[in-house]
Amino acid sequence: MEQQSIPTHSLKEKAISFLQLVASGKVREAYERYIEPDFCHHNPYFRGDVDSLKLAMAENAAQNPNKILEVKLAIQEGDTVAVHSHVRQNPDDHGGAVVHIFRFHNSRIVEMWDIGQPIPEDSPNENGMF
């Protein structure tokens, strides 16, 4: 894939802002601000088009109005950004470790992958997941 010539220094901030808006229930604003109309995603639980994921995110936000997203790490390479987060549906939830990978074009998100792993209540690993 050809590397973009536009500045990419703010792509990490855009990816994080998108996730924070979605987590806070502002799904429509997040999509209007950051998502390209021909966006596609790779979440296996929904159709791969923009509207299916947007609807699922809006439904999840309505069901979990106290969702907490804490970004632990964001890495950018060219037009690709990976964000590692601790996501909890509410303050009492152990939550999960989630990695979102975004591909940008002209400073807007055109493709996304997301991978999640629940945080176990008991783990032998003293380092934790973060």
Side-chain angles (χ1 to χ4, degrees):
M1 214 174 271
E2 183 178 313
Q3 193 75 339
Q4 296 180 45
S5 61
I6 60 168
T8 58
H9 64 277
S10 64
L11 297 183
K12 279 197 301 190
E13 289 85 0
K14 289 180 181 194
I16 291 168
S17 179
F18 171 79
L19 292 172
Q20 290 172 333
L21 284 169
V22 168
S24 70
K26 298 176 183 173
V27 176
R28 178 181 290 186
E29 180 182 342
Y31 273 72
E32 288 173 358
R33 194 181 291 184
Y34 298 111
I35 300 292
E36 270 295 301
D38 62 348
F39 165 86
C40 70
H41 68 88
H42 301 273
N43 186 311
Y45 299 104
F46 308 101
R47 291 184 48 79
D49 63 285
V50 65
D51 291 331
S52 296
L53 189 63
K54 182 178 175 182
L55 177 62
M57 287 179 162
E59 288 174 354
N60 182 272
Q63 293 170 1
N64 300 288
N66 298 315
K67 182 182 284 189
I68 302 162
L69 178 132
E70 184 181 353
V71 173
K72 300 296 186 174
L73 177 67
I75 301 168
Q76 179 179 333
E77 183 175 319
D79 64 355
T80 303
V81 175
V83 181
H84 181 217
S85 305
H86 182 193
V87 179
R88 295 182 288 155
Q89 300 303 320
N90 61 65
D92 298 323
D93 181 25
H94 274 62
V98 181
V99 176
H100 290 89
I101 303 169
F102 300 94
R103 185 173 62 83
F104 285 80
H105 182 72
N106 293 330
S107 294
R108 293 181 61 86
I109 300 167
V110 293
E111 193 167 15
M112 184 183 82
W113 298 259
D114 56 333
I115 304 156
Q117 180 179 15
I119 297 173
E121 288 191 34
D122 296 312
S123 171
N125 188 325
E126 67 279 3
N127 299 315
M129 293 183 72
F130 305 103

